[in-house]
Amino acid sequence: KSSTLDFFLSPQPAMTKDQAAEALSRSYAKKPSTFRFKLLKSKVLERSSGRILRYGFSVARCEGSQTESEGQKICVKPGSDDKLDTIARHWEVATTVTSTDGKEPYALWIVECSVPSENWKEESAQINQIVDSFAVGTKA
């Protein structure tokens, strides 16, 4: 089993919650369009269905080309020097892994919500309610 899978299935995982959040968010951080990425808080929720990892991150995307100017990274319109604004979003994620009797196959469950970063304060209560209500099981 991978360390990330072990985080969800082992009673004493070798990986911390922050390490698991970093591993699971790496694909966002490494996208070619990612201009700026910051991993935010993480926490573990223990539920009857298993361990749920809750984490957030902020990501700014460049819909053009990324280049250097005067020692700083900038986003520009492809084929020109015209600067483009980056698009910043705040993401909140809850994820877990389940299996039948601790055996393969494993299922990865994810709920993701995002809003423009400038709207986070107004939308955070509703987003947190949605993400914190995440559970996996056969009963509602």
Side-chain angles (χ1 to χ4, degrees):
K1 281 189 274 190
S2 75
S3 295
T4 308
L5 192 57
D6 173 72
F7 175 81
F8 292 102
L9 301 174
S10 172
Q12 299 290 327
M15 182 180 264
T16 67
K17 64 181 174 44
D18 292 335
Q19 290 170 324
E22 182 180 341
L24 290 166
S25 64
R26 191 171 293 132
S27 64
Y28 290 96
K30 299 296 181 191
K31 283 185 179 181
S33 61
T34 296
F35 186 77
R36 193 172 42 257
F37 179 89
K38 181 179 180 187
L39 190 58
L40 305 171
K41 65 183 176 13
S42 63
K43 66 180 179 179
V44 173
L45 307 170
E46 296 291 349
R47 302 266 169 83
S48 60
S49 61
R51 183 173 294 127
I52 295 175
L53 177 63
R54 167 82 196 269
Y55 60 96
F57 59 88
S58 173
V59 65
R61 294 174 46 94
C62 172
E63 298 299 332
S65 300
Q66 296 182 43
T67 188
E68 293 277 330
S69 176
E70 298 176 16
Q72 291 194 329
K73 185 165 65 167
I74 59 170
C75 181
V76 296
K77 186 175 181 179
S80 79
D81 291 334
D82 297 340
K83 283 188 179 181
L84 292 175
D85 291 334
T86 57
I87 302 163
R89 295 189 70 83
H90 181 112
W91 288 77
E92 288 295 322
V93 181
T95 188
T96 191
V97 172
T98 60
S99 67
T100 305
D101 301 326
K103 299 177 185 167
E104 292 183 27
Y106 300 106
L108 174 65
W109 301 84
I110 302 171
V111 62
E112 297 177 327
C113 296
S114 76
V115 296
S117 293
E118 66 267 11
N119 296 24
W120 175 244
K121 282 190 176 190
E122 299 85 40
E123 305 292 338
S124 63
Q126 185 176 9
I127 298 290
N128 285 328
Q129 184 178 15
I130 292 167
V131 178
D132 283 339
S133 70
F134 175 68
V136 177
T138 57
K139 296 179 182 179

